[in-house]
């Protein structure tokens, strides 16, 4: 037997009050895939740095390709496509990686004796590292082989042992309700529920976990957390990336890929009752109750409460072009490979928006709006809890024309913060209000290094803590909610695909879905950085940008829709975020074309006179709208903005604006 390199893991920033995980040998099936190099190895690396990996530990990579341990180590250490690229810490420490690679081994499971070799190596490494016969199996493989791998492990003596056996499985946990039930049955015929750790990597995100801490460690919000005070909740997972050559996405679509799992999990955190303890089952029992209370839709209700989208060609957020989803060679290829092959254009949704209801005492009648999509204008996951508006009536004799609703926003990623938006009085003798915010930013309060989300998953499994993992009943119930939606969509294939251009806010129908409910609106998170890219706001000071970002509201417009009409009163100014619009003269002739970054509608606001021209959308347009009250307030407070607007009025319409007009009461 080799002598044990009983070196301690080189913990660089040991986490306070945490013990390392239990000794174990980790067997990683599917180790040749992307997940291992992109996420799992960086997570292992972070666990070592944080002092959370035990000294008694080794990894066996198992896959069906003919590789040696040396090849496996070299692959993960690759200069261009290995740990140096995927590691999430600021500095890469070769000592940490050397410690890990010395404990990396590989077994090819393709030959008939592949699993016997796995068993022999586990035994050997267990003795070498004194891992107490604990084995953690990571199934980074398609679910279709879960059963076969489990059976082989059984045959090779892994059913029982002195130590524990735990299995981490990756999504998808089925592709619909029957397949999920079948999969659960299969896996439960080998292992007990307590041994199975089903990863939903969203639950590993610090900001998601903090939703529970925020709700239950603070007395302040819980009394308001119900239908009496909350108007609605919005959950958005917006991805800027397109399908990126992942042809297999075509058999999933966003409902299966993001909503049924990650988004439903986040929803349960927002909606659940306080658990009686933070133990895994107490929390999961409460989550199960939320899912059980979600209304199941009839086919008609599905069509009323959901919207689907598929992206067409466009310009992605990073400026590069994206071909239409259905023209992506990977998508076409994957359809040809199906049995039987499919030649027709894809009708898979790359965007979806849903209105759901949690039919219980706390949430009766409160809509939960969920939306997610690929190839959208930006990356961002946010949960917005919108409170009801305070009664305006007592402001009736003041300059306050309306009250805005307060909002609590959990910024999950890439921004990591919690923000409360509320109304404050603007300085001065008159009672005027302005939306302001209070924010807690992770980066300002904590120094923790950013991880992959998998650290906590692997660690939790090592210590037998299942809170962050899904359970059979949760998985099946989530499919029960999604199934009627999938069925109704399959029975009514979308006829308007592609219905949004890559790089935009998504299909207009998603805006209509929310606006038909008391004209609620999606809350688009606009950062100062986003605003800086717009010529009108470029170089604005932080105070100005923060005021503008809180005041802008988004609006999606269809091609040829009239946005402002000559002669109408002007109550808003517009900023063209995406698309093209045309300025028409009295005869309907196009006088000018407006492009991304252009603004319009400001003259009527400035001069308090009717619209001087009609503006019509030439293509689908995404607009930011600034209402008159906010416009005037910002003009008053920010001289530089006022100057820019005056200049635009002069150049575009040959109109001079007198200083007193800028100060006109709203
Ligand atoms: C995965 C989906 O589960 O989550 C991907 O399969 C998606 O399609 C990814 O891109 C998003 O994860 P994150 O952590 O980048 O938001």
């Amino acid at each position: 037997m080799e002598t044990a390199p009983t070196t301690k893991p080189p913990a660089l920033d040991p986490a306070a009050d945490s013990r390392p995980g239990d000794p174990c040998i980790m067997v990683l099936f599917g180790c040749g895939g992307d997940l291992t190099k992109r996420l799992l190895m960086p997570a292992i690396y972070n666990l070592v740095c944080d002092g959370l990996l035990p000294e008694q530990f080794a990894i066996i990579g198992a896959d069906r390709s003919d590789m040696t341990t040396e090849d496996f180590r070299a692959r993960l250490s690759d200069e261009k496509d290995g740990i140096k690229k995927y590691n999430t810490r600021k500095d890469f420490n070769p000592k940490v990686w050397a410690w890990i690679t010395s404990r990396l081994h590989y077994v090819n499971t393709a030959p008939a004796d592949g699993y016997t070799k796995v068993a022999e190596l586990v035994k050997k490494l267990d003795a070498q590292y004194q891992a107490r016969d604990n084995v953690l199996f990571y199934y980074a493989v398609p679910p279709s082989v879960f059963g076969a791998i489990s059976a082989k492990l059984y045959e090779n003596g892994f059913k029982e042992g002195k130590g524990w056996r735990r299995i981490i499985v990756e999504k998808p946990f089925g592709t619909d309700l029957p397949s999920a039930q079948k999969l659960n049955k299969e896996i439960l015929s080998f292992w007990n529920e307590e041994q199975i750790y089903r990863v939903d990597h969203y639950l590993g995100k610090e900001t998601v976990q903090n939703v529970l801490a925020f709700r239950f460690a603070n007395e302040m919000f819980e009394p308001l957390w119900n239908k009496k005070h909350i108007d609605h909740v919005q959950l958005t997972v917006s991805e800027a990336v397109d399908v990126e050559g992942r042809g297999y996405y075509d058999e999933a679509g966003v409902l299966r890929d993001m909503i049924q799992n990650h988004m439903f999990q986040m929803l349960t955190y927002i909606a659940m009752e306080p658990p009686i303890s933070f133990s895994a089952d107490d929390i999961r029992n409460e989550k199960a109750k939320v899912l059980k209370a979600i209304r199941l839709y009839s086919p008609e209700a599905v069509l009323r409460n959901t919207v689907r989208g598929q992206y067409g060609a466009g310009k992605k957020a990073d400026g590069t072009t994206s071909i239409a989803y259905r023209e992506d060679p990977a998508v076409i290829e994957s359809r040809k490979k199906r049995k039987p092959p499919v030649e027709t254009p894809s009708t898979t949704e790359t965007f979806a928006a849903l209105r759901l209801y949690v039919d219980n005492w706390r949430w009766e009648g409160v809509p939960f709006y969920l939306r997610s999509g690929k190839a959208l204008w930006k990356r961002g996951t946010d949960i917005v809890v919108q409170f009801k508006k305070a009664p305006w009536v007592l402001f009736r004799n003041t300059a306050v024309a309306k009250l805005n609703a307060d909002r609590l926003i959990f910024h999950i990623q890439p921004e990591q913060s919690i923000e409360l938006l509320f109304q404050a009085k603007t300085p001065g003798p008159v009672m005027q209000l302005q939306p302001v915010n209070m924010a807690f930013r992770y980066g300002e309060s904590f120094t923790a290094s950013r991880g992959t989300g998998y650290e906590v998953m692997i660690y939790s499994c090592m210590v037998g803590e299942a809170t962050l993992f899904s359970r059979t009943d949760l998985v099946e119930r989530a499919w029960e909610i999604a199934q009627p939606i999938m069925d109704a969509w399959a029975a009514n294939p979308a006829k308007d695909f592609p219905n949004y251009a890559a790089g935009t806010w998504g299909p207009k129908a998603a805006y209509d879905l929310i606006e038909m409910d008391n004209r609620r609106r999606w809350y688009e998170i606009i950062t100062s950085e986003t605003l800086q890219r717009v010529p009108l706001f470029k170089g604005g000071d932080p105070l100005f940008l923060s005021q503008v970002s809180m005041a802008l509201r988004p609006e999606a417009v269809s091609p040829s829709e009239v946005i402002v009409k000559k002669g109408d009163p002007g109550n808003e100014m517009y900023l063209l975020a995406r698309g093209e619009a045309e300025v028409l003269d009295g005869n309907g002739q196009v006088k000018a074309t407006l492009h991304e970054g252009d603004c319009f509608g400001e003259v009527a606001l400035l001069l308090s006179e009717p619209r001087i021209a009609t503006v019509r959308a030439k293509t689908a347009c995404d607009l930011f709208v600034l209402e008159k009250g906010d416009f005037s307030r910002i003009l008053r407070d920010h001289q530089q903005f006022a100057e820019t607007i005056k200049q635009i009025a002069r150049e575009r319409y040959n109109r001079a604006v007198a200083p007193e007009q800028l100060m006109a009461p709203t």
Side-chain angles (χ1 to χ4, degrees), residues 448-464:
S449 297
R450 201 166 270 234
T452 63
Y454 276 82
E455 294 76 5
V456 64
M457 295 291 172
I458 298 171
Y459 177 77
S460 297
C461 181
M462 279 182 180
V463 297

Side-chain angles (χ1 to χ4, degrees), residues 171 201-202 205 237-239 241-242 244 246 248-249 257-258 261-262 374 379 381 413 452 454:
K171 75 165 190 120
H201 78 283
Y202 264 66
K205 293 184 192 281
V237 180
S238 161
E239 294 195 271
V241 290
D242 59 19
E244 292 188 308
R246 291 165 59 207
Y248 59 87
Y249 182 90
D257 187 53
M258 293 297 299
N261 39 54
H262 308 319
K374 291 215 182 270
R379 173 172 182 246
T381 300
Q413 64 181 25
T452 63
Y454 276 82

Side-chain angles (χ1 to χ4, degrees), residues 398-432:
T398 71
V400 177
K402 66 175 174 77
L403 293 182
N404 290 319
D406 295 344
R407 293 186 178 117
L408 179 70
I409 308 176
F410 297 92
H411 296 286
I412 306 292
Q413 64 181 25
E415 197 192 328
Q416 301 188 307
S417 62
I418 298 178
E419 191 181 3
L420 182 63
L421 291 160
F422 59 102
Q423 320 286 309
K425 181 184 167 300
T426 54
V430 179
M431 174 49 98
Q432 285 269 30

Side-chain angles (χ1 to χ4, degrees), residues 4-170:
T6 47
T7 45
K8 282 206 179 309
L12 303 176
D13 324 299
D17 338 312
S18 297
R19 64 172 173 99
D22 294 352
C24 65
I25 304 299
M26 180 170 171
V27 185
L28 190 48
F29 291 101
C31 70
D34 260 16
L35 185 78
T36 303
K37 73 176 177 205
R38 283 175 192 263
L39 295 164
L40 298 182
M41 282 304 145
I44 295 280
Y45 179 94
N46 286 336
L47 285 173
V48 175
C49 294
D50 292 340
L52 294 173
L53 212 65
E55 189 178 343
Q56 305 92 332
F57 176 78
I59 298 179
I60 300 175
D63 215 324
R64 299 180 59 80
S65 61
D66 191 12
M67 239 195 309
T68 62
T69 287
E70 281 62 43
D71 296 337
F72 182 47
R73 291 178 181 177
R75 200 184 126 89
L76 297 176
S77 311
D78 190 86
E79 282 294 316
K80 293 213 178 79
D81 197 34
I83 189 71
K84 285 198 188 147
K85 175 166 176 196
Y86 299 114
N87 141 54
T88 62
R89 280 180 133 76
K90 268 204 214 101
D91 302 309
F92 174 73
N93 186 309
K95 258 200 211 142
V96 173
W97 185 239
W99 186 90
I100 297 171
T101 41
S102 72
R103 287 158 191 249
L104 278 179
H105 302 264
Y106 180 78
V107 176
N108 177 2
T109 52
D113 63 348
Y115 282 78
T116 317
K117 291 246 166 65
V118 171
E120 285 167 5
L121 189 55
V122 168
K123 218 167 173 187
K124 180 176 155 212
L125 295 175
D126 181 70
Q128 187 174 341
Y129 292 105
Q130 295 114 48
R132 303 194 199 151
D133 193 40
N134 294 333
V135 193
L136 190 167
F137 298 108
Y138 201 120
Y139 288 7
V141 290
S144 52
V145 296
F146 286 179
I149 294 181
S150 305
K152 291 274 188 196
L153 292 177
Y154 252 43
E155 283 166 25
N156 284 279
F158 282 111
K159 183 176 180 195
E160 269 145 22
K162 284 197 294 316
W164 51 249
R165 313 267 179 265
R166 295 180 189 141
I167 299 93
I168 301 187
V169 291
E170 277 286 335

Side-chain angles (χ1 to χ4, degrees), residues 469-523:
F469 298 87
S470 203
R471 214 170 50 181
T472 299
D473 56 334
L474 292 169
V475 168
E476 292 185 4
R477 178 62 191 176
W479 281 118
E480 269 167 37
I481 301 163
Q483 190 68 51
I485 304 176
M486 298 187 311
D487 292 345
W489 284 357
N492 299 276
K495 296 193 184 75
D496 60 345
F497 281 2
N499 59 355
Y500 70 100
T504 62
W505 296 349
K508 167 143 182 356
Y511 281 79
D512 299 341
L513 177 81
I514 191 166
E515 285 176 22
M516 70 175 67
D517 297 351
N518 305 323
R519 301 206 57 78
R520 292 181 178 125
R521 296 184 183 280
W522 290 113
Y523 189 70

